[in-house]
């Protein structure tokens, strides 16, 4: 009887250890290289893990937020993958650096040319994007992961504050506060202002140098004339004597 109880307890304990030590499933996620500041531009990585033991990921689709459209999106070449950027017309044009933009990126699709993301591995897909919104704390992307066995996983569930993480959370990019409150626009303005001040200082310095040179020239002429006059008077006195 005692041996049976001990065996039962041991089985339960072993099962508990197995459950606790089982690896947590990884999710499709997005993270910036450095910071993603409001109003600026950033390079981010979409990280896609393979969660299956007998299939490879051969296609990844990332939908970009329509509530905060991004006009500029560039993909970095990834060996073994082909990227396609899809744009759509905007109902309300954006104004960026004084120019009106009537379309924005709605989706980026990566398709494997070879084996794709194999079991037990992951792949990063770098993207440069902007101009990031100034009136949002985060950007939510929806990703669709397709396997070569036709399985499709939709990472589209938003994270709700105060609630547990959903089973298939959508990749979310947290935005940091803009530097000086104006992001990239402030940096451009600062650079222009610094350039104007430098040119002004250079102009003032040049004008000052010209004025000094003219004054010294006049003084030299006056001194020279006085010397000549003194010499003439001295000569006359000698003749008179």
């Amino acid at each position: 009887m005692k041996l049976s109880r001990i065996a039962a307890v041991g089985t339960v304990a072993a099962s508990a250890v197995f459950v606790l030590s089982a690896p947590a499933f990884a999710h499709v996620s997005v993270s910036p290289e450095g910071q993603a500041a409001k109003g600026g531009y950033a390079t981010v990585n979409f990280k896609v893990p393979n969660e299956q033991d007998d299939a490879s990921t051969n296609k990844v689709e990332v939908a970009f937020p329509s509530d905060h459209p991004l006009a500029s999106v560039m993909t970095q070449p990834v060996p073994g993958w082909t990227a396609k950027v899809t744009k759509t017309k905007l109902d309300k044009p954006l104004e960026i650096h004084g120019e009106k933009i009537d379309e924005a990126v709605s989706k980026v699709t990566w398709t494997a040319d070879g084996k794709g993301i194999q079991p037990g591995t992951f792949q990063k897909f770098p993207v440069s994007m902007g101009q990031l919104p100034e009136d949002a704390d985060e950007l939510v992307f929806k990703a669709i992961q397709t396997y070569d066995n036709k399985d499709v996983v939709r990472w589209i569930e938003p994270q709700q504050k105060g609630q547990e993480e959903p089973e298939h959370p959508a990749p979310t990019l947290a935005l940091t506060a803009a530097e000086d409150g104006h992001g990239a626009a402030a940096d451009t303005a600062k650079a222009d202002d610094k350039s104007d001040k430098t040119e002004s200082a250079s102009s003032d310095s040049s004008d000052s140098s010209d004025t000094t040179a003219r004054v010294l020239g006049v003084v030299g002429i006056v001194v020279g004339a006085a010397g000549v006059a003194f010499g003439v008077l001295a000569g006359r006195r000698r003749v008179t004597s």
Side-chain angles (χ1 to χ4, degrees):
M1 181 66 67
K2 291 183 178 180
L3 292 176
S4 299
R5 291 180 179 178
I6 293 174
V9 171
T11 301
V12 173
S15 299
V17 171
F18 175 78
V19 171
L20 293 174
S21 62
F25 286 114
H27 305 318
V28 174
S29 60
V30 59
S31 59
E33 293 183 3
Q35 291 185 340
K38 298 178 181 179
Y41 291 77
T43 297
V44 304
N45 288 299
F46 289 96
K47 182 180 178 182
V48 182
N50 189 319
E51 294 186 336
Q52 295 197 12
D53 297 329
D54 55 356
S56 297
T57 297
N58 59 7
K59 186 177 180 180
V60 176
E61 300 170 79
V62 176
F64 281 62
S66 58
D67 54 342
H68 295 292
L70 300 174
S72 175
V73 174
M74 293 187 294
T75 60
Q76 179 176 314
V78 178
W81 294 81
T82 298
K84 178 183 177 181
V85 178
T86 303
K87 294 184 177 182
T88 56
K89 291 289 184 179
L90 296 174
D91 295 333
K92 183 179 180 181
L94 299 174
E95 185 171 345
I96 300 178
H97 303 311
E99 297 184 5
K100 288 188 176 181
I101 308 298
D102 61 357
E103 63 178 12
V105 174
S106 58
K107 182 173 66 173
V108 177
T109 303
W110 288 272
T111 304
D113 300 327
K115 296 181 179 179
I117 308 173
Q118 300 180 60
T121 66
F122 68 88
Q123 179 66 58
K124 287 184 178 181
F125 299 94
V127 174
S128 173
M129 63 176 64
Q131 183 174 356
L132 301 177
E134 297 182 357
D135 57 348
D137 295 325
E138 62 183 22
L139 291 178
V140 179
F141 302 85
K142 294 183 179 182
I144 298 178
Q145 181 178 10
T146 303
Y147 289 86
D148 56 13
N149 62 358
K150 307 304 181 180
D151 283 351
V152 176
V153 182
R154 302 178 183 276
W155 305 94
I156 62 175
E157 301 176 59
Q159 174 67 57
Q160 302 295 334
K161 292 184 178 180
Q163 297 184 12
E164 294 183 357
E165 183 181 67
E167 184 178 359
H168 297 98
T172 303
L173 177 67
L175 303 181
T176 59
E179 295 182 0
D180 297 334
H182 298 288
D187 295 337
T188 302
K190 285 182 179 180
D192 294 340
D193 183 60
K194 184 177 181 181
S195 177
D196 292 341
K197 288 183 179 179
T198 301
E199 292 178 1
S200 177
S202 177
S203 177
D204 294 343
S205 177
S206 177
D207 293 342
S208 178
S209 298
D210 291 343
T211 302
T212 302
R214 290 174 183 174
V215 172
L216 292 176
V218 173
V219 172
I221 293 172
V222 172
V223 172
V228 172
F230 179 78
V232 172
L233 290 175
R236 289 180 178 178
R237 288 179 180 177
R238 290 178 182 176
V239 173
T240 303
S241 301

